[in-house]
Amino acid sequence: MDVNMDGLKIVNFNDNQAPFLFTQSLHECGFVLIEDAPVNDNLLQINYKLWQQFFKSPQKLQYQWDPKNEDGYIPPNLSEIAKGRQIKDLKEFYHLKPNGQIPSVLEKEALELFTQLSDCGELFLSWIEASLPTSIKAKLSEPLKDMIKGSNNTVLRSIH
């Protein structure tokens, strides 16, 4: 495990201690970087390229943010204000949901990436659950990883 200058832990997915190091980092700083996660790097690079092209094109305007479904393109003027700040972030982003509006030029690759990342998310949630105190685990209505299976509220957020 490595630590960068901000104290953010970089955990190798294949490390035997990865579940412990992952949850430890979440406790200590709220974030963790995972290297060698089971996400196809070529697919990731293709998605970066496709999303970059999408954000540069006027096509993005055809997929405006849908507040009811909470998906679509969010332009910079609707972007968020970071906690403790007064000025909006200088970014635009897209919330992609498998059953929502998906640009056809991105559909195949973005949905494939969504699936791989969701699978990782399920595993990471099982790591979190394993680290919970017994009294907290007993209060779960179902295993954490099952809470996102088939959920219509899980999004892939592409940020530009």
Side-chain angles (χ1 to χ4, degrees):
M1 177 194 59
D2 294 321
V3 177
N4 74 6
M5 36 187 220
D6 295 322
L8 184 62
K9 291 186 177 161
I10 302 169
V11 176
N12 187 294
F13 181 85
N14 299 307
D15 186 324
N16 289 336
Q17 293 293 311
F20 169 76
L21 297 170
F22 177 87
T23 55
Q24 181 185 41
S25 185
L26 290 177
H27 280 287
E28 291 174 1
C29 75
F31 293 94
V32 62
L33 292 174
I34 301 289
E35 63 182 0
D36 294 330
V39 176
N40 182 293
D41 189 57
N42 187 51
L43 177 63
L44 192 56
Q45 297 308 317
I46 290 169
N47 268 272
Y48 279 135
K49 183 178 180 181
L50 290 172
W51 280 107
Q52 185 176 37
Q53 291 169 353
F54 175 79
F55 283 117
K56 288 180 178 180
S57 78
Q59 182 186 18
K60 65 188 176 188
L61 301 174
Q62 297 172 16
Y63 297 91
Q64 290 295 314
W65 171 251
D66 176 359
K68 182 179 177 199
N69 196 39
E70 298 182 337
D71 74 337
Y73 170 70
I74 297 108
N77 66 314
L78 296 180
S79 193
E80 305 157 318
I81 298 174
K83 185 176 180 178
R85 304 292 180 161
Q86 306 266 327
I87 300 171
K88 285 187 181 285
D89 289 348
L90 297 175
K91 68 182 177 199
E92 57 187 341
F93 53 97
Y94 195 99
H95 276 192
L96 182 140
K97 291 183 173 185
N99 297 324
Q101 51 180 332
I102 305 172
S104 59
V105 296
L106 292 155
E107 188 169 11
K108 180 179 179 280
E109 290 83 359
L111 288 176
E112 190 174 338
L113 181 62
F114 179 93
T115 298
Q116 288 186 23
L117 292 172
S118 291
D119 291 346
C120 284
E122 288 179 27
L123 179 62
F124 298 150
L125 285 171
S126 71
W127 290 358
I128 292 168
E129 184 176 345
S131 75
L132 293 174
T134 306
S135 61
I136 303 279
K137 274 191 224 182
K139 294 178 181 178
L140 296 175
S141 61
E142 63 183 318
L144 286 180
K145 68 182 181 92
D146 292 347
M147 292 181 185
I148 65 167
K149 280 187 192 237
S151 170
N152 292 328
N153 293 320
T154 303
V155 300
L156 170 66
R157 178 185 264 195
S158 294
I159 302 172
H160 181 247

